[in-house]
Amino acid sequence: MPNNRTWIPYLLILPSVAFLALLFVVPLLQTIWLAVSDNGTPSFANVQRMVGDLNFTRSVQNTFLLTLAVVPVQIVIALAMGTMVAKVAAGRETILWIWTIPLAISDLAAGLVWLSILQNSGYLNSFLYGLGIIERQASWLSYQTPFALFLGIAAAEIWRGTAIVMVVIVAGLNQVPKEYREAAEIFGAGPWTRFFRITLPLIRPALQSALILRTVLAFEVFAVVYALGGRNFPVLVGEAYNWQNQNQNYGVAAAYAVLIMLISLAATMFYLKAIKVDPERLP
Amino acid sequence: MKRLASLGILASTVFLAVTPVLADTVFLSTQLRPIAEATVVREELLKGVQNPVDYVVEEPPQFAVRMEAERQAGTHTISLVGALHGELSPLADKDGLEPLDDIAKTLASKGMPQPLLGLGKLGKSSQQYIPWMQATYVMAARKEALQYLPQGADVNKLTYDQLTEWGKKMQEATGQPQIGFPAGPKGLMSRFFQGYFYPSFTGGVVRPFKSADAAAGWEKLKELWSVVNPNSTNYDFMQEPLLAGEVMVAWDHVARLKEAISSEPDQYVVFPAPAGPKGRGYMPVVAGLAVPKGAPDKAGAIAVIEHLTTLDTQLLTAQKVGFFPTLDAKLPSDIDPGVGLLAAAVNATQAAPDALISLLPVGLGDKGGEFNKVYMDSFQRIILQNEAVGDVLKAQGATLAKLMSDTKAPCWAPDTKSDGACPVE
């Protein structure tokens, strides 16, 4: 009887495999082919065009800089938030709920929220003017103020993306058994020692997931940058969008898409190797 | 059984949701997209057409994708398209539009100017689209800016030197740069270079791209840019910074200035763009109506074209949405004062003795975006990144030359005609 049924599991996963193949693998292969072909013949013309473009180097630099600036800050903030909320007994759910509100807001809306704060006639200028700190509207988002622009975009990204890191980390913290902490306290370990020697190693799997998720998302940053920086702060996805949408050159856009995919895969690989998770803690 | 019934309900809902669309004449447009304007089209401009019309709008890039998809699939749902000259040109290049010579003949006899109708041929022997409505780009200034005009300058006959001078005076007086350009991601800054800056300084667009005249022009623009609001690279529609009080003087498409000017018509002056050493370059923008090959309801589409090109509808269009008639018509005196101001500036531009008309690019097919990029990249490198003018023009000129030879697009006005692809000299 059991022998007759070996095909059932395969049958059951068949729809999802077919679905993935149709809606993910096929477009992926098409995109790769689009990137490395020219008029139907294999060619690196699109890749050369991409690398030779005015904004290529800047967009790579900007994307990496933003990722390097944003991800560590988000991890630290999320850890702090997670640890704080662990101490709270009453109202824990409410606090978590409030903290995850930015998650529910779309990227572009988050960008627009920050635009209304940082633009010339925005809230920040009105506030500073009201306090008498500035005499007239200062611009924070122009090509002449690259540092302020970068800070603005980083702040918006941190605001928008920290919630997802926190959710993953809180889930990890919830799984740390109380007994370890209590034992450490008995042996006289201070709060920092407990955090670095017990909590952090035990939430490694969660930290790894959070890092992979956030880094990949950071490489794909677009809408927030587009709303705040426009042309002033080119990033990889923005360039892919421009080539596809404004320049109507699908080949170069596909080359950018493939590049973003490769960078994301490399980052994931890096975290999988760099943050070793004990085999016995894997599911 | 229950599941079967719900599937049946689902299927019939989908069917019902899809069918009514097929019965109407589907009119797809890249123009008059904002809700308020689309409502005007549906409720007022299309009133009086016999067969019900389904007015659908689409952003230009998606429009191109959709038209191409329908062409490739061979299943057509769209009977009529309304789009800009440059957006219809790739469709005509692929032989995707029905010839409309009969309507063109009737409209010519009703007073549609021949040069305008000629644009609708898109370089072919038969009429590809019917000019629907037109607009151009002008400058607008808040009235308090006029006190800083340099001595002897007439706002209607401004030169680039005077504009720079004006900008300097405004900056000195207010402490902030007061001139704005729409150089944001969705702004139409590339049209400034193709229709205004290059013609005014060089008398051409493609041929003199890297000439000495062009280099001198870019130096002048650098000077002007020192008094231009640096937020210009974020501006898409100039009506917004004008209304917010971020700039006092701006250049943009009339439709993208209209909201500011219509809201406070007594606060603004509207006037032609400045002139350079070769004249006052300007670019008319023409939106046209065309029938795609294989349209399911060709007769319905023709009826809509005939309706939209009657004098009454054209005047109503000007009144309601600020695009001007393609028929030779006088605007009524009771028109919205903002639209009146814009119309007067358009007339002043067209009638200026030094006016130098620059047409929208033709024959570039789907390379229109990359053509714009050549000008915008030059702008970014010369003005924003302060690279040497000569080097940039040489490099971008090579890109432009390759683009022209790839597309084999012949020269258009104001460049002198060419045999074959328009050369970069």
Side-chain angles (χ1 to χ4, degrees), chain B residues 81-425:
Chain B
V81 294
L84 292 182
H85 177 88
E87 291 157 6
L88 292 168
S89 157
L91 304 183
D93 285 349
K94 288 182 179 146
D95 211 16
L97 300 176
E98 290 277 356
L100 300 168
D101 295 294
D102 293 345
I103 314 184
K105 224 173 263 169
T106 328
L107 286 170
S109 67
K110 279 189 187 169
M112 191 174 280
Q114 206 58 52
L116 202 56
L117 271 171
L119 282 180
K121 289 194 168 178
L122 288 165
K124 300 200 164 215
S125 57
S126 59
Q127 192 75 29
Q128 300 293 309
Y129 73 80
I130 297 296
W132 171 22
M133 46 190 197
Q134 58 176 336
T136 186
Y137 302 79
V138 291
M139 294 199 74
R142 290 193 70 88
K143 279 192 176 155
E144 60 257 38
L146 291 178
Q147 56 181 308
Y148 307 113
L149 259 181
Q151 226 160 26
D154 175 354
V155 81
N156 281 307
K157 293 178 187 151
L158 218 55
T159 65
Y160 276 93
D161 286 335
Q162 286 171 333
L163 180 64
T164 309
E165 187 65 35
W166 189 12
K168 279 182 186 154
K169 286 193 163 182
M170 284 189 285
Q171 178 157 14
E172 275 164 25
T174 61
Q176 269 184 313
Q178 294 290 356
I179 300 179
F181 281 92
K186 286 191 171 177
L188 295 170
M189 191 68 185
S190 49
R191 297 292 186 230
F192 172 74
F193 293 111
Q194 296 151 11
Y196 294 81
F197 173 77
Y198 258 97
S200 297
F201 281 94
T202 67
V205 181
V206 174
R207 282 178 184 265
F209 180 81
K210 49 182 186 181
S211 62
D213 284 342
W218 282 105
E219 293 295 347
K220 288 273 182 208
L221 191 67
K222 263 189 189 176
E223 216 179 299
L224 172 62
W225 208 261
S226 68
V227 290
V228 166
N229 193 314
N231 281 337
S232 287
T233 49
N234 288 353
Y235 295 152
D236 290 332
F237 289 50
M238 288 315 297
Q239 57 200 10
E240 285 148 18
L242 276 174
L243 279 172
E246 284 188 28
V247 297
M248 293 206 280
V249 178
W251 173 95
D252 208 343
H253 188 285
V254 289
R256 292 176 170 204
L257 291 168
K258 182 175 166 277
E259 204 180 295
I261 292 160
S262 285
S263 68
E264 296 170 297
D266 48 342
Q267 293 299 319
Y268 288 96
V269 282
V270 190
F271 49 96
K278 301 280 160 130
R280 195 177 301 275
Y282 88 97
M283 182 183 262
V285 177
V286 179
L289 297 162
V291 181
K293 278 220 168 107
D297 184 15
K298 202 179 151 194
I302 303 275
V304 176
I305 297 181
E306 281 168 350
H307 174 76
L308 288 174
T309 47
T310 56
L311 187 60
D312 287 348
T313 320
Q314 293 247 304
L315 290 177
L316 192 65
T317 310
Q319 170 92 12
K320 295 286 176 183
V321 293
F323 271 90
F324 303 109
T326 43
L327 287 171
D328 199 8
K330 261 211 157 66
L331 292 175
S333 51
D334 60 342
I335 200 157
D336 173 299
V339 173
L341 276 178
L342 290 166
V346 173
N347 282 338
T349 309
Q350 286 171 340
D354 54 351
L356 183 60
I357 192 166
S358 175
L359 296 182
L360 284 161
V362 204
L364 295 172
D366 57 3
K367 299 278 184 205
E370 289 186 49
F371 180 72
N372 293 345
K373 187 174 162 58
V374 169
Y375 293 86
M376 288 310 287
D377 280 1
S378 310
F379 162 70
Q380 191 182 335
R381 292 175 64 176
I382 296 173
I383 307 289
L384 304 182
Q385 298 174 9
N386 211 10
E387 291 182 40
V389 175
D391 298 349
V392 174
L393 291 184
K394 205 173 150 205
Q396 294 295 325
T399 314
L400 181 60
K402 184 174 181 304
L403 189 69
M404 298 315 287
S405 64
D406 283 355
T407 56
K408 299 188 185 68
C411 295
W412 58 88
D415 280 318
T416 41
K417 282 209 163 75
S418 63
D419 303 319
C422 194
V424 178
E425 286 159 355

Side-chain angles (χ1 to χ4, degrees), chain B residues 3-43:
Chain B
R3 188 182 298 167
L4 210 65
S6 51
L7 268 180
I9 292 170
L10 184 72
S12 54
T13 322
V14 171
F15 183 71
L16 280 175
V18 172
T19 12
V21 177
L22 297 175
D24 295 355
T25 312
V26 181
F27 176 9
L28 181 71
S29 170
T30 62
Q31 302 301 296
L32 311 180
R33 283 196 312 267
I35 291 278
E37 293 182 0
T39 311
V40 168
V41 177
R42 291 186 186 112
E43 292 181 354

Side-chain angles (χ1 to χ4, degrees), chain A residues 49 53-55 58 115 119-121 136-144 149 226 228-232 234 239 241-250, chain B residues 61-62 64-65 174-176 183-187 225 229-231 233-235 244-246 366-370 373 376-377 380-381 383-385 387 399:
Chain A
R49 193 90 197 268
D53 186 59
L54 174 61
N55 286 331
R58 279 179 73 200
L115 184 67
Q119 69 185 358
N120 271 31
S121 45
R136 56 177 74 95
Q137 294 173 343
S139 58
W140 307 100
L141 302 173
S142 86
Y143 66 94
Q144 293 182 338
L149 177 66
Y226 189 73
L228 288 176
R231 285 180 200 274
N232 297 333
E239 286 307 299
Y241 172 80
N242 282 341
W243 276 98
Q244 200 265 347
N245 210 34
Q246 290 184 336
N247 307 340
Q248 299 268 308
N249 189 326
Y250 300 104
Chain B
Q62 283 83 330
V65 172
T174 61
Q176 269 184 313
K186 286 191 171 177
W225 208 261
N229 193 314
N231 281 337
T233 49
N234 288 353
Y235 295 152
E246 284 188 28
D366 57 3
K367 299 278 184 205
E370 289 186 49
K373 187 174 162 58
M376 288 310 287
D377 280 1
Q380 191 182 335
R381 292 175 64 176
I383 307 289
L384 304 182
Q385 298 174 9
E387 291 182 40
T399 314

